[in-house]
Amino acid sequence: MASTYTTSTAFLEALAEAGVSYIFANLGSDHPALIEALAQVKAQGREDEFPRLIVCPHETVALSAAHAYATVTRRPQAVFVHVDAGTQNLGGAVSNAMRGRVPVLIFAGAAPYTTAGELPGSRNEFIHWIQDVPDQRGILRGYVKYDNEIRTGRNVKQLVYRALQIARTEPAGLVSLVGPREVMEEPVEPYAVDPADYPPATPAGLAADVTAEIASALAAARNPLIVTSYLGRHPDAVPALVELAELLAIPVLESAAFCVNFPGDHHLHAGYQFTTTAQNQVLAAADVILVLDSDVPWIPATSRPAPDAAIYVVDIDPVKANLPMWHVPARRIAAADSKVAVEQITGFVRDNVLVDAGLVEVRSAEAADASRARRAALDALEQPEPGVITPRYLTACVRDLLAGADALVLTEAVTNYQVVAEHLRPSRPGSLIGSGGGSLGWAGGGAVGAKLADPERAVVSLVGDGSFLFGVPSSAQWVARRYGTPTLTVVYDNRGWAAPRFSTLQVHPDGAAARAGDFYASFEPAADLAGIARAAGGAYGVTASDPGELPQVLKDALAVVQGGRSAVVSVQLPPV
Ligand SMILES: Cc1ncc(C[n+]2csc(CCOP(=O)(O)OP(=O)(O)O)c2C)c(N)n1
Ligand SMILES: [Mg+2]
């Protein structure tokens, strides 16, 4: 059979030429042209010139995998989904990618617009009427930076490159294209467009006067502080931040952080905060605060800076127009790439000899004392209790398990985010990632994407039991086996949702729910979470409840993963 060159062929070529290695796909009646185009290039032995299609039985898994892949590599991948219901099924993963500022290209089909065989691709299945929704592009519009429709194959490459240019330009994000069946079937003459003509915008720096103002304020401060959440999305920004922090002995506080912004074992690390219930004393004591790349530097209801603290904000997304309520009382809010900005500030301090060596020495010693004290307190908290596995002990066991291994950790531990950060103390830039968003279930597909992005690394997910189930483990574990991406999942299994229980107690500490001790959040009778992974993905799945045996159980599971098979360890914590 003669091969044809269609819009779909050009679309796939464009993705490949733009550096897309994988298409995470959940297909439907809208995709025959793409399936045929892929089959034709495979028949020609040219499969390797095109992105590899990863079949994902659930869309959450597909987008979460693309999300994690792009988080690790900063290279956007593609997600192909069905029109209407398939696009809806991306669900909260869309919100995660937006909040995580992660570049991904989503393609959905669209219902055929001819109904009686007028064009190739015209309606010929009952579902083509049912799937014809009024606003296909509108499904994602609140979450994407750009959406458009492929209207012809003659410029689909330009459209793809423009979409990816927007996706990659910081703040990075989702872009979406839709293509009706007739357009995707359209025969076109092969053509070439150079993707190098569509670079993302280069990272911007601070204006000279703003650099001078921030650098001078930090250098003159008695108690300067840096608060950051996502500077470490770009791991090469971390050494730059370390250099500035050391130059002036500025402690660094990580707030709601889903990446390594500053080495956890550094004496200037001022701790981690997620949802605070008490005033952070480091924050309260600061007279000059530089907030670098943060959506939530503190929670004013429980913890805030001193009223007279001088606050400066430098952020890739400084006014956060897509957060309807947001305010930091800053003297200056500047849009800049954090690495560029930090290097500028460091350069200004050095060039103008602003370092007060005596003060820096004193502050450095104070920070080292504080860090030692915090570490000792945490060490005490992670000791096992008789017969009980606490989240802190579990995290300490994971830390010991991974000591010396070049592991990549995915965190979706929810009420244990803080525990995971404090006891893992990740220090290597890029060694820990989270979704950056609020839709749970990311790590299931995320682990697949992370392993594809960095196959040599051990990938370990630390997830709540609720999050494990949100991640459609049947789908995620199947994909992992099918495509050879073995990872270790450690479930912080408290048989329920601790989060809504916590939230209710914060607002209604003496209410009826508190008195009854029932928050509609228990998963009893317990599901066999490890069993799901065994059944769906042939994984090694075990449940652990003995604190003494836990280190060996984790070690065995990691060995299985290193042997090429996924493992899930459901660790029994005190129930919610
Ligand atoms: C997709 C999605 N649905 C609902 C929620 C609301 N929610 C926030 S935390 C939470 C419970 C998470 O349970 P688990 O992963 O077991 O963590 P735990 O609270 O027990 O620490 C829920 C349901 C959410 N964040 N995302
Ligand atoms: Mg739970």
Side-chain angles (χ1 to χ4, degrees), residues 465-466 492 494 496-498:
D465 52 323
Y492 283 57
N494 52 16
W497 300 328

Side-chain angles (χ1 to χ4, degrees), residues 289-291 294-298 300 305 311-313 315 318-320 325-333:
I289 301 171
L290 174 59
V291 178
S294 179
D295 291 334
V296 192
W298 49 79
I311 301 169
Y312 298 88
V313 169
D315 202 302
V319 293
K320 305 179 196 296
M325 285 297 287
W326 188 87
H327 174 64
V328 166
R331 294 207 176 163
R332 199 71 68 195
I333 291 196

Side-chain angles (χ1 to χ4, degrees), residues 6 20 36 74 77 85 104 139 180 188 207 276 285 336 347 355 363 365 379 382 387 403 438 444 460 465 480 482 533:
T6 63
V20 172
E36 179 59 20
R74 300 314 298 172
Q77 304 298 298
V104 179
I139 297 172
V188 287
T276 48
V355 178
R363 235 175 7 230
D379 285 352
E382 69 186 29
V460 180
D465 52 323
R482 168 75 176 75

Side-chain angles (χ1 to χ4, degrees), residues 413-416 463-467 491-499 521 523 573 576:
V414 195
T415 55
N416 289 306
V463 302
D465 52 323
S467 299
V491 184
Y492 283 57
D493 190 353
N494 52 16
R495 267 89 69 223
W497 300 328
F523 282 172
L573 307 174
V576 296

